Amino acid sequence: GSFMTFDEAFNMFLHTIQDFLSKLRHKPKVILVPSQRDAHHNYDVFPQPAFEVDASLIAKELRDSIHFAPNPCFFRIKNLIASTPVSKKDQADAEAHSTASQGTGFGGFYAVGASSMDILLHLAQNESAKRLKGSLVNPNERATRLVQHLMQQGSFYPLHPPSDQCNLDSSFLEALEIKKMPHLLVLVSDLKHFARKVNQSLVINPGRLSKGTYALVTIH
């Protein structure tokens, strides 16, 4: 039988997305964030650059709808600031805009931060304090406590040394900085899915789609 490479499988995935978008009258924005688990990505490290996709693979009429973001990333609803467009010049402009927006606030837009690295699980595996048996503390506070590590240290990966499940590239630690907490923080984890407000941010762990969970967020 015929065999398919990982790159060919990814290209088929892109084709499926474009086929779906082409049937819609109003085109939504699709943001693809890589993961260290991606077999076809050229960089098996964290932080990760965006997918390198040949412009010819994206239909011209859909190039404003499909964006490739690094891991981790920040973007703003209605005005993407951390995506990687096809054009190199557009990429440089987007990165400069992203840096400026992080330092000065989000200008009235709804800001979103996202990471596919499972920092919540890695922190949970390295906790030195555990809830005592019989304690009345709400077990749901565990997720809040883990998220607060990111907020207090201003980093998408506040764990040193890193977990053996994370190929951390310490030469790019600046890319992990959280200079201003976004309104919505998406942290994908193998821990149980949740959505809760932590400080002034809504934090969501959508879980894994392969396990049957995902997040649908409506912003009013």
Side-chain angles (χ1 to χ4, degrees):
S2 60
F3 293 92
M4 181 181 296
T5 66
F6 292 122
D7 285 332
E8 289 171 339
F10 181 71
N11 293 342
M12 180 178 292
F13 173 67
L14 285 179
H15 177 76
T16 301
I17 293 176
Q18 294 180 79
D19 184 58
F20 176 77
L21 291 177
S22 65
K23 298 175 182 178
L24 301 178
R25 180 178 179 184
H26 300 289
K27 303 293 188 288
K29 301 290 185 182
V30 176
I31 305 170
L32 298 178
V33 180
S35 167
Q36 190 176 279
R37 299 182 179 185
D38 291 323
H40 78 291
H41 200 289
N42 293 328
Y43 300 93
D44 183 25
V45 295
F46 185 69
Q48 286 178 292
F51 291 119
E52 296 178 351
V53 178
D54 192 298
S56 63
L57 294 175
I58 308 297
K60 290 183 178 180
E61 64 272 17
L62 295 176
R63 290 179 185 174
D64 288 335
S65 299
I66 301 176
H67 298 262
F68 302 94
N71 176 33
C73 67
F74 286 93
F75 58 91
R76 299 186 302 186
I77 302 300
K78 296 185 180 180
N79 187 13
L80 295 174
I81 63 173
S83 63
T84 304
V86 174
S87 164
K88 292 291 185 181
K89 180 181 182 303
D90 288 346
Q91 177 178 350
D93 291 344
E95 290 173 350
H97 191 189
S98 175
T99 301
S101 297
Q102 274 250 47
T104 59
F106 296 110
F109 289 89
Y110 195 89
V112 180
S115 174
S116 63
M117 177 54 69
D118 198 344
I119 180 57
L120 298 180
L121 176 62
H122 298 172
L123 285 171
Q125 292 173 334
N126 286 274
E127 279 190 318
S128 58
K130 298 291 185 180
R131 186 169 66 95
L132 297 177
K133 184 177 181 180
S135 171
L136 297 179
V137 176
N138 187 339
N140 291 332
E141 292 182 0
R142 178 198 190 197
T144 299
R145 183 177 67 252
L146 295 175
V147 171
Q148 285 177 335
H149 287 298
L150 281 73
M151 295 182 170
Q152 292 168 359
Q153 298 189 47
S155 172
F156 274 102
Y157 203 87
L159 180 63
H160 184 79
S163 166
D164 57 9
Q165 302 173 50
C166 174
N167 297 327
L168 184 67
D169 188 341
S170 58
S171 62
F172 291 98
L173 291 181
E174 289 186 1
L176 302 179
E177 292 181 359
I178 305 177
K179 297 179 180 178
K180 182 178 178 63
M181 289 305 303
H183 301 98
L184 173 62
L185 185 61
V186 181
L187 301 172
V188 180
S189 176
D190 285 330
L191 295 180
K192 185 177 180 180
H193 55 277
F194 66 82
R196 60 171 49 84
K197 185 176 181 181
V198 182
N199 295 342
Q200 298 302 312
S201 299
L202 173 62
V203 183
I204 295 177
N205 166 24
R208 306 286 181 184
L209 185 59
S210 59
K211 295 182 179 180
T213 64
Y214 63 92
L216 177 62
V217 181
T218 302
I219 301 173
H220 298 283

